[in-house]
Every structure is written in C-alpha cells, then in structure tokens.
C-alpha cells in the first residue's frame, strides 16, 4: 500500500476502535495501545506477507505483541484488516468472548502467540525466527515490545540469543513512550540508553519517530539489508497518542474511559460521539 493518506485514515479508525472497545468493556489498557497504532498498522496493511482469509497459511509472516496488555491495538488492527467482524471488538473482556484481556493464539484469528507475561513474547518471537531459519523458510518475524518491558531479564537473554544465531529475519520494534504503569521509566528502573544497549548485544539498531509512516517504512526497508543481524527499531512514541487528556499520562496505562471521557476522546480523534 504505502499510501500514507490511506494508512493515516486507517490508523485513525484503529484509535477510535480502541476508545470504543475499552469504554464498552470498562477495563483495559489505552495508553500503550494508542502509542503503537502506526507501527502495527504499517505492519498489517503493508509490510507483512499475510492473508486474512487464510490466517494459518504456511509461509505467512508472524507478528508477536510481546507487550500483551496492549491487546486493543492488535485486536483493532486485525478487525480493520478483516480477520474477524468488527462487532467482536465491543465484546472485549466479556465472559466467553473471543477477545480477552491479553492475546490468545487459540481463540483469535491472526494472533500468533499468547502473551501477557512481559518478555516472554519477545523470547517466543526469537524462537519463531530461529525455526524459520532452520527450516529454510522465507517468512519473517516481527515483534513489539514496551520500554518498561525491557526491565525484564529474559528480554536480554533473548536478545543475546538472537544475535548469536544471526537471526536477520527478525525485526523488533521498541515502543519507547517513556512511561509504565507506575510512572516514568527513569524513575521506576531506568532503561536508557536503549539503542546503545541493543547495539552492544549485537543488534542492528535504528531510531525513529514511531508515529511517522515514512520513518517506519524506511526502517523496515533498512532492516532487510542487515545481513546476519536481527534489527531493533527504537520508536519514539507518545503514550495515549491522539487523545488530549491521555497523552503522556501514566495514569492512562490501564484505565478505561467513562462516557464523558469517551466523548472527548472521540472528538479529539475526529469521530462520532453522539451515538
């Protein structure tokens, strides 16, 4: 696609879906879902070799949402990509519904790995990339981590392994919005300098604006030229992006908007609020 006007329109729909589904459910994680919208939209609507009509096709690319609490962003993108009916979004976190609080690979088309325990999704993505290499398969693996997530030790074990095994079919995005549930990363447990750390672990590292499609696609193209090295794309983002009262507010890490907040958020996002 790489039609940035169309991708921007899709991203706006994805953000509105996130607000609507979280308001309906009364719980969930808006901040880190909104910060990752452009990244996940770019992957599913342009970059990845996928087929919504055949979610399990043999040589499809894989995506792992390692920061599994941001499930609303992947659910919204999958619905927009027509993996399932958008009506399912309004059943988020309901008993017996397909879409639960964290991604479930057994119950949701398009979900490649059940995630939620931070760091494990990234490790699984490294394992998937290794499997593709061992099989001599063409498919690639993409992952999305949170910056608070890299406080987990197993992230660095996986990073070391991926570099050791030269997994150049693995591309990870680090959603660097600077906040986690308890506040600023630097105050909870400092993670900087992120780029230098992954470089020291043997990764090809790129730094971008995570809300700019030009930056995202330039980095994705560059990753294909990094022979023998996995790529980490450190994407500077804004937690709660697009919603005035959520932006850069740690308190919106895991809280659903009430009726008035839903109205304000949809106004900010250019959507309807009078339904």
């Amino acid at each position: 696609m790489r039609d940035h006007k169309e991708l921007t329109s899709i991203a706006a729909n994805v953000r509105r879906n996130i607000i609507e589904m979280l308001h309906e459910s009364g719980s969930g994680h808006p901040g880190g879902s909104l910060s990752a919208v452009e990244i996940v939209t770019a992957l599913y609507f342009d970059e990845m070799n996928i087929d919504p009509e055949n979610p399990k096709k043999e040589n499809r690319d894989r995506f792992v949402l390692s920061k599994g609490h941001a499930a609303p962003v992947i659910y919204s993108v999958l619905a927009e990509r027509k993996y399932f009916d958008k009506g399912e979004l309004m059943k988020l976190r309901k008993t017996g519904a397909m879409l639960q609080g964290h991604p479930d690979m057994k119950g949701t088309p398009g979900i490649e790995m059940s995630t939620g325990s931070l760091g494990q999704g990234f490790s699984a993505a490294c394992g998937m990339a290794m499997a593709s290499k061992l099989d001599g398969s063409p498919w690639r693996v993409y992952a999305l981590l949170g910056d608070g997530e890299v406080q987990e030790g197993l992230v660095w074990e996986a990073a070391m392994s991926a570099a050791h095994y030269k997994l150049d079919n693995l591309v990870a995005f680090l959603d660097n919005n600077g906040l986690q549930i308890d506040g600023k990363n630097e105050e909870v447990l400092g993670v900087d300098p992120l780029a230098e750390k992954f470089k020291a672990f043997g990764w090809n590292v790129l730094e971008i604006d995570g809300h700019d499609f030009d930056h995202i696609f330039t980095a994705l193209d560059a990753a294909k030229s990094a022979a023998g090295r996995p790529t980490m794309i450190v994407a500077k983002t804004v937690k709660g992006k697009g919603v005035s009262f959520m932006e850069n507010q740690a308190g919106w890490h895991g809280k659903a908007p009430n009726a008035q907040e839903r109205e304000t958020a949809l106004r900010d996002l250019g959507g309807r609020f009078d339904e």
Side-chain angles (χ1 to χ4, degrees):
M1 179 185 283
R2 300 217 175 175
D3 179 339
H4 291 198
K5 183 177 180 180
E6 179 65 19
L7 288 168
T8 298
S9 177
I10 293 167
N13 287 338
V14 169
R15 283 196 167 89
R16 288 190 283 267
N17 291 342
I18 290 169
I19 296 300
E20 293 282 29
M21 65 198 293
L22 290 177
H23 169 69
E24 181 67 22
S25 73
S27 65
H29 296 79
S33 296
L34 292 167
S35 65
V37 168
E38 282 79 14
I39 294 168
V40 184
T41 297
L43 290 172
Y44 275 86
F45 281 87
D46 182 277
E47 179 67 16
M48 295 198 305
N49 174 28
I50 52 175
D51 182 0
E53 295 184 2
N54 182 16
K56 294 294 186 181
K57 78 170 185 175
E58 183 177 357
N59 285 325
R60 70 191 182 281
D61 290 336
R62 273 72 163 174
F63 172 77
V64 178
L65 181 68
S66 193
K67 57 170 202 166
H69 58 273
V73 70
I74 185 62
Y75 293 159
S76 181
V77 169
L78 289 173
E80 291 290 334
R81 197 66 172 82
K82 302 188 185 308
Y83 275 83
F84 50 79
D85 187 89
K86 286 179 69 172
E88 292 292 333
L89 298 179
M90 297 302 106
K91 303 174 188 176
L92 176 69
R93 291 181 171 233
K94 300 288 195 301
T95 301
M98 181 174 71
L99 305 180
Q100 293 302 304
H102 291 82
D104 176 9
M105 63 189 291
K106 293 183 177 180
T108 308
I111 297 296
E112 299 288 352
M113 178 55 59
S114 301
T115 55
S117 184
L118 296 180
Q120 289 187 2
F122 182 55
S123 298
C126 293
M128 290 177 179
M130 188 179 298
S132 180
K133 282 282 189 182
L134 290 171
D135 287 346
S137 299
W139 50 273
R140 296 172 65 78
V141 181
Y142 300 85
L144 177 64
L145 296 88
D147 49 9
E149 182 177 9
V150 302
Q151 293 164 346
E152 299 284 350
L154 81 163
V155 167
W156 300 101
E157 294 180 52
M160 183 166 50
S161 176
H164 177 79
Y165 289 106
K166 305 183 188 305
L167 302 182
D168 52 12
N169 59 343
L170 172 63
V171 178
F173 283 87
L174 201 159
D175 185 4
N176 186 201
N177 60 45
L179 297 170
Q180 57 191 104
I181 191 169
D182 291 323
K184 295 180 180 179
N185 297 337
E186 63 194 54
E187 295 173 354
V188 178
L189 183 63
V191 294
D192 289 327
L194 287 166
E196 287 78 0
K197 286 178 179 176
F198 278 98
K199 286 176 184 176
F201 272 69
W203 285 58
N204 172 47
V205 180
L206 305 167
E207 297 180 82
I208 66 168
D209 176 345
H211 300 302
D212 187 312
F213 284 114
D214 277 326
H215 283 215
I216 293 168
F217 287 124
T218 296
L220 286 167
D221 289 342
K224 296 182 177 72
S225 301
R229 288 189 294 166
T231 293
M232 177 60 69
I233 302 173
V234 179
K236 188 64 181 175
T237 62
V238 175
K239 200 173 184 89
K241 175 69 174 177
V243 178
S244 56
F245 60 90
M246 291 185 183
E247 288 193 351
N248 291 312
Q249 299 298 315
W252 283 101
H253 176 88
K255 182 174 70 171
N258 61 30
Q260 184 176 352
E261 290 162 343
R262 166 189 174 271
E263 180 177 319
T264 301
L266 291 179
R267 275 203 188 99
D268 288 345
L269 297 171
R272 296 184 63 185
F273 55 87
D274 57 352
E275 298 174 339

